[in-house]
Amino acid sequence: MDYLDGLNESQRQAVEHIDGPMMVIAGAGSGKTRVLTYRIAHLLRNGVDSFSILALTFTNKAAKEMKERINSIVGGNESMNITMGTFHSVFARILRYNADKLGYPSNFTIYDTQDSRSLIKSIVKEFGLDEKVYKSNAVQSRISSAKNNLISPNAYEANVEIVSEDRMSRKPEIFRIYKEYAKRCFQAGAMDFDDLLYQTNVLLRDFPDVLHFYQQKFKYALVDEYQDTNYSQYLIVKKLAAVYENICVVGDDAQSIYSFRGANIENILNFKKDYPDFKMFKLEQNYRSTSNIVNAANSIIKRNKDQIQKDVWTSNAEGGKINIIRCLTDNEEGRVITNKIFDIKQGEGADYKDFAILYRTNAQSRSFEESLRKLNLPYKIYGGLSFYQRKEIKDLIAYFRLSANPKDEEALKRVINYPKRGIGKTSMDSVILAARQYDVSLWDVISDFQRYPVSISSGARNKMAQFALKIQSYSAQMETSPAYDLANNVAQSSGILKDLYDDKSPEGVTRYENIQELLAGIKEFSVQQEEKDEIGTLSDFLIDVALLTDADKATEEDKNTITLMTIHASKGLEFPHVFIVGLEENLFPSQLSLTSRTELEEERRLFYVAVTRAEKTCTLSYVVSRYRWGQLVTAEPSRFIDEVDKKFVSHENETRGRSGGKSLSGYQRPSEERTQGFGMMGGGKRNLKTMKEATSAPAKSGGGTTDNLKVGFNVEHDRFGKGKVTALVGAGSDQKATVFFPRVGQKTLILKFAKLTIVE
């Protein structure tokens, strides 16, 4: 069977087009990755040299899977020769080959967000600025924005408009912090994530021979998620494709949701201006979702003015309508959604991993976590603390980083006294002061006290010198020892393993196990490199770890758990059952996005992305009142609810608080609907009897009186919902029943007050 036979007509046309600029507009669930993969395979099948292909993907995991699929189509290992990965991973490697041209060591460190903010915090403190005004995350965001727009520290200082904005926000010293931050990174031989793109632009701008080399090397370029590229990424791609213009960009303007990271939707909207003779292909058939979900999503996004028109459709089954649930409070929202997940799982036999709860902000996870824990349902929050951000992992990796690049100041400060070796804060402050006075790195000082004298005790000086010798011994093995051998040596000889092993507390045992897990991962990395006949050094491993994307981290563990994540983090994922919660004005859409049409349209695109994650069912929920900033505030249903065409929605459940058959949001309540109490799902009439009525009627399990209530009976409580009696204690008016309620867990109730109902 020909590999193209499995493609629909639109997909096939996009795959078979080889030369010249082209844009593939791919609707949600339309097989975008399949088209990218098959197009690369088709290029190889038609004689294009694999070494001449550049493919920029959304995640490193996607790149790996695409390479495997390409090999299965074309045979052999040609995909290994393709330059493929994320922008950051691809250009980090190019920078390592050319680092000396920019004055960096080839083993430069890559600072993550935490490292960057730590350095900024140190600079703010040294400058004597107010840390409450110059918060590290806000300053880091400002610097990041400047780099993504290719604004150097000097250009930043000279830009009257930018400096004026900083003054108005009461942060007039940001330009000074930016200059010092850039200087310190350079001294430390470190680049942050934004530098990987910023410095690539500098490299291609200032070294024409390097630009020419890569223009000739990459005759064919493919860019995934083009709608999420920023100015810096756009410029790199434009320069590299300038000679041959064999550029293929794939994306969906309707899913452009990362402007806060600098993404510019104009890149995809204005592609035709850069390449007037481009070919456009539209992938409009959705293979993921039911017809109702696809049509509902279309009715949402059509309200945006700035977009490339397309008509997404599906031949899938009609499916159920979009469910809309109204709750009184955020705690009730947590209970209702959790109960619905429980019901669907029990009714359909679904796996926990089939469910996702999506919210606008991470802070909304609390009520869902509490409810899930009460029902003992397994869940995982994505976007929380990843494995590589745990303290013990960061500590050991700091040793690795320091061994690769001793001038890495953030790593040095982190571990110079861990495990404790008697180097106090006063001594370190003196070293830092000396480094600033001599305008050198901390490593320069502690590795050569004769050249850079510091006023500290001889004991502290000796301990620092011993630490420097230890790091130097690791550095000497960095490029010759297999990653696992050196990593295991560092873990043991540094004292980290012993320190964690000696801590027998549950937390200490977990930390020790995490270190073992890290070493096991490095061992696996070493084995994989050996299979390629390569050494696989610790430096190589550090590059892989530093360049993990959020989406890569989200798939580190494929466990059977319910997923909780922000909508931004859900991009590119799909789930059979999706719950989009907190649909209230000023929350979603965010209050910060209501000042312009551009911002509001991005919020609507975010809502579109959320809805299109769903395969079978999609549920929207909102509350009447919510705790925000410690205050209980009245909430108003999101405008987005009204924007979904009414043909595709149903108001499945409304709780108490209605007047005249209408909810507070004005939606008409069906007359046959019956509400059974706080937090309970609506539905038709149930065949229920009160305990009093039950005395003259046989109960489901035999005896109908309170005295004859038995373990195993199914009962219902007006607040806790349905449950099963698991134990009975006492008799008469003092009798107590222990009941397990799936909604809220186990409760012990005094029967005369409980007002239980036996369920027929």
Side-chain angles (χ1 to χ4, degrees):
M1 177 180 170
D2 185 71
Y3 65 99
L4 297 176
D5 289 344
L7 302 174
N8 66 37
E9 186 59 29
S10 298
Q11 291 173 333
R12 184 163 185 152
Q13 288 177 5
V15 166
E16 291 182 324
H17 185 80
I18 293 180
D19 295 319
M22 61 180 285
M23 178 164 66
V24 179
I25 297 299
S30 62
K32 168 176 64 71
T33 303
R34 183 182 180 88
V35 167
L36 263 177
T37 305
Y38 277 57
R39 184 167 192 274
I40 294 172
H42 192 68
L43 290 174
L44 297 176
R45 280 283 189 94
N46 283 270
V48 174
D49 186 354
S50 56
F51 284 95
S52 69
I53 298 174
L54 169 66
L56 298 167
T57 60
F58 189 56
T59 67
N60 294 305
K61 182 174 182 288
K64 181 181 177 183
E65 291 172 351
M66 285 172 65
K67 283 186 175 184
E68 291 171 355
R69 182 66 182 138
I70 291 165
N71 282 340
S72 71
I73 296 172
V74 301
N77 289 304
E78 276 299 297
S79 72
M80 302 302 294
N81 304 326
I82 299 169
T83 301
M84 184 185 295
T86 64
F87 270 92
H88 292 89
S89 65
V90 166
F91 296 112
R93 285 172 168 80
I94 287 176
L95 284 172
R96 288 194 186 276
Y97 286 122
N98 298 279
D100 59 317
K101 292 181 172 64
L102 300 171
Y104 283 87
S106 62
N107 60 346
F108 61 81
T109 298
I110 299 174
Y111 278 176
D112 63 16
T113 302
Q114 197 177 92
D115 296 321
S116 296
R117 290 178 180 174
S118 175
L119 176 54
I120 288 169
K121 196 172 183 179
S122 297
I123 293 169
V124 168
K125 188 176 180 181
E126 289 171 28
F127 281 4
L129 300 172
D130 188 342
E131 293 180 40
K132 292 180 180 177
V133 174
Y134 291 90
K135 293 180 179 178
S136 58
N137 59 336
V139 176
Q140 191 258 344
S141 177
R142 191 71 168 160
I143 293 173
S144 173
S145 179
K147 288 184 180 179
N148 285 331
N149 286 287
L150 304 182
I151 300 172
S152 68
N154 288 335
Y156 190 105
E157 182 183 10
N159 190 304
V160 176
E161 185 179 348
I162 292 175
V163 174
S164 177
E165 286 175 3
D166 288 342
R167 285 202 191 97
M168 290 180 68
S169 64
R170 298 191 304 114
K171 301 181 185 71
E173 298 295 316
I174 286 185
F175 78 91
R176 250 202 334 143
I177 298 171
Y178 183 15
K179 291 182 79 169
E180 186 66 16
Y181 174 80
K183 176 184 171 184
R184 296 274 187 91
C185 285
F186 186 75
Q187 281 183 337
M191 293 188 195
D192 62 23
F193 257 56
D194 298 310
D195 280 325
L196 297 177
L197 302 179
Y198 177 85
Q199 296 294 350
T200 298
N201 272 292
V202 172
L203 180 69
L204 299 180
R205 180 195 69 195
D206 295 351
F207 298 91
D209 57 323
V210 175
L211 174 60
H212 177 74
F213 173 81
Y214 287 109
Q215 284 176 333
Q216 294 303 316
K217 175 177 173 58
F218 299 133
K219 294 182 173 66
Y220 290 84
L222 301 92
V223 187
D224 192 10
E225 303 290 1
Y226 192 64
Q227 78 280 352
D228 291 327
T229 54
N230 58 32
Y231 178 65
S232 182
Q233 292 166 321
Y234 159 80
L235 215 55
I236 291 170
V237 172
K238 192 169 187 296
K239 285 180 179 178
L240 292 178
V243 174
Y244 293 99
E245 291 196 345
N246 292 323
I247 178 172
C248 168
V249 300
V250 183
D252 181 6
D253 56 294
Q255 298 185 65
S256 178
I257 60 173
Y258 293 118
S259 67
F260 67 97
R261 293 182 185 170
N264 186 357
I265 192 173
E266 297 299 321
N267 291 348
I268 194 166
L269 296 178
N270 293 332
F271 185 77
K272 59 186 176 184
K273 292 183 180 179
D274 290 328
Y275 307 96
D277 59 341
F278 83 109
K279 299 286 186 183
M280 180 188 286
F281 302 89
K282 293 183 181 181
L283 308 182
E284 297 173 306
Q285 183 175 358
N286 180 297
Y287 291 94
R288 175 188 302 156
S289 308
T290 64
S291 174
N292 267 325
I293 291 173
V294 170
N295 289 330
N298 286 343
S299 72
I300 294 163
I301 203 62
K302 73 178 183 181
R303 294 174 179 267
N304 274 10
K305 291 187 175 180
D306 294 331
Q307 62 175 299
I308 298 170
Q309 293 300 321
K310 58 184 172 297
D311 181 23
V312 179
W313 61 278
T314 185
S315 60
N316 292 342
E318 181 179 0
K321 294 185 176 182
I322 304 283
N323 301 322
I324 298 179
I325 298 178
R326 169 188 180 276
C327 301
L328 295 178
T329 66
D330 45 355
N331 284 334
E332 183 187 6
E333 184 181 39
R335 288 195 299 272
V336 169
I337 298 302
T338 299
N339 292 332
K340 189 158 180 59
I341 290 173
F342 182 85
D343 291 342
I344 293 174
K345 185 183 185 309
Q346 296 301 106
E348 297 186 7
D351 289 326
Y352 290 117
K353 64 184 178 182
D354 293 340
F355 299 91
I357 299 174
L358 308 181
Y359 34 72
R360 183 65 179 81
T361 65
N362 276 309
Q364 292 169 252
S365 71
R366 178 198 57 80
S367 62
F368 301 98
E369 288 187 75
E370 289 179 1
S371 297
L372 290 166
R373 280 199 298 267
K374 284 177 181 176
L375 286 192
N376 199 29
L377 301 183
Y379 68 91
K380 179 168 178 65
I381 296 180
Y382 292 104
L385 196 64
S386 80
F387 179 79
Y388 290 100
Q389 292 298 322
R390 292 167 184 163
K391 179 186 179 301
E392 62 277 10
I393 302 301
K394 291 273 287 184
D395 289 339
L396 185 52
I397 286 182
Y399 270 100
F400 299 162
R401 281 170 40 181
L402 202 55
S403 304
N405 173 21
K407 292 193 174 185
D408 183 343
E409 293 200 358
E410 291 307 305
L412 189 149
K413 287 189 290 187
R414 186 177 186 97
V415 297
I416 193 167
N417 196 41
Y418 177 74
K420 291 185 178 179
R421 51 179 59 89
I423 300 173
K425 182 178 181 300
T426 303
S427 298
M428 272 308 297
D429 285 345
S430 298
V431 170
I432 291 171
L433 182 62
R436 304 299 166 245
Q437 288 174 339
Y438 293 115
D439 199 21
V440 295
S441 70
L442 300 183
W443 175 258
D444 291 330
V445 175
I446 70 167
S447 62
D448 193 351
F449 282 117
Q450 286 189 331
R451 185 174 182 181
Y452 306 107
V454 182
S455 138
I456 55 176
S457 68
S458 58
R461 189 180 293 111
N462 289 335
K463 287 167 185 171
M464 288 186 186
Q466 289 170 11
F467 174 77
L469 281 172
K470 187 185 291 286
I471 297 301
Q472 286 168 342
S473 73
Y474 299 151
S475 295
Q477 307 169 60
M478 203 69 189
E479 299 305 322
T480 55
S481 295
Y484 176 75
D485 293 352
L486 180 54
N488 194 43
N489 177 22
V490 172
Q492 293 190 38
S493 60
S494 67
I496 285 182
L497 269 182
K498 183 178 185 305
D499 183 68
L500 295 176
Y501 182 79
D502 290 344
D503 183 355
K504 300 301 182 183
S505 68
E507 295 79 13
V509 171
T510 299
R511 286 192 286 268
Y512 181 78
E513 290 172 346
N514 286 339
I515 291 293
Q516 294 294 348
E517 179 67 23
L518 174 63
L519 292 173
I522 298 174
K523 179 67 175 177
E524 183 180 356
F525 171 81
S526 291
V527 170
Q528 289 173 347
Q529 297 303 305
E530 287 172 8
E531 290 172 352
K532 300 177 188 176
D533 296 324
E534 297 176 7
I535 294 177
T537 66
L538 203 48
S539 289
D540 297 326
F541 176 78
L542 286 175
I543 295 171
D544 281 1
V545 170
L547 295 170
L548 280 174
T549 68
D550 290 342
D552 290 321
K553 293 171 186 174
T555 54
E556 284 169 13
E557 299 176 11
D558 186 23
K559 292 185 177 178
N560 188 21
T561 58
I562 297 164
T563 298
L564 276 68
M565 63 188 354
T566 64
I567 301 169
H568 281 102
S570 74
K571 177 80 181 301
L573 303 178
E574 56 189 46
F575 304 89
H577 307 285
V578 169
F579 298 84
I580 308 167
V581 300
L583 271 161
E584 297 130 39
E585 284 294 299
N586 299 324
L587 181 56
F588 193 19
S590 165
Q591 188 172 11
L592 300 176
S593 69
L594 302 179
T595 58
S596 72
R597 176 174 296 280
T598 299
E599 292 169 339
L600 181 59
E601 290 201 351
E602 174 150 337
E603 286 288 291
R604 188 176 288 115
R605 292 195 295 270
L606 187 61
F607 182 42
Y608 174 82
V609 165
V611 171
T612 54
R613 298 311 93 201
E615 298 173 1
K616 293 181 179 179
T617 69
C618 180
T619 301
L620 315 179
S621 68
Y622 66 97
V623 305
V624 175
S625 57
R626 176 181 298 277
Y627 274 99
R628 298 188 74 185
W629 309 290
Q631 301 272 337
L632 185 64
V633 298
T634 301
E636 179 185 346
S638 169
R639 68 188 70 189
F640 293 155
I641 293 176
D642 278 333
E643 291 181 358
V644 185
D645 192 313
K646 299 299 182 288
K647 291 185 295 187
F648 310 116
V649 303
S650 66
H651 300 277
E652 177 183 306
N653 164 245
E654 294 171 358
T655 54
R656 281 194 294 207
R658 292 184 291 265
S659 174
K662 289 187 178 181
S663 70
L664 293 184
S665 63
Y667 295 120
Q668 185 67 39
R669 174 173 59 94
S671 59
E672 74 275 12
E673 184 179 357
R674 178 180 175 188
T675 300
Q676 291 297 331
F678 187 79
M680 292 175 57
M681 306 299 294
K685 293 183 179 180
R686 300 187 180 111
N687 186 11
L688 304 177
K689 291 185 174 71
T690 65
M691 290 295 284
K692 185 176 180 180
E693 291 170 329
T695 59
S696 58
K700 185 177 179 180
S701 301
T705 66
T706 303
D707 291 340
N708 291 330
L709 188 65
K710 293 181 180 179
V711 172
F713 274 26
N714 293 317
V715 295
E716 184 152 1
H717 186 273
D718 66 352
R719 183 175 178 187
F720 303 137
K722 289 181 180 180
K724 180 173 285 190
V725 178
T726 60
L728 289 166
V729 179
S733 62
D734 294 325
Q735 189 174 31
K736 298 176 183 177
T738 301
V739 184
F740 176 76
F741 297 98
R743 300 176 189 276
V744 295
Q746 188 166 285
K747 299 285 183 183
T748 300
L749 308 168
I750 301 174
L751 289 180
K752 67 179 179 181
F753 300 124
K755 297 181 181 178
L756 288 174
T757 306
I758 294 176
V759 182
E760 285 283 347

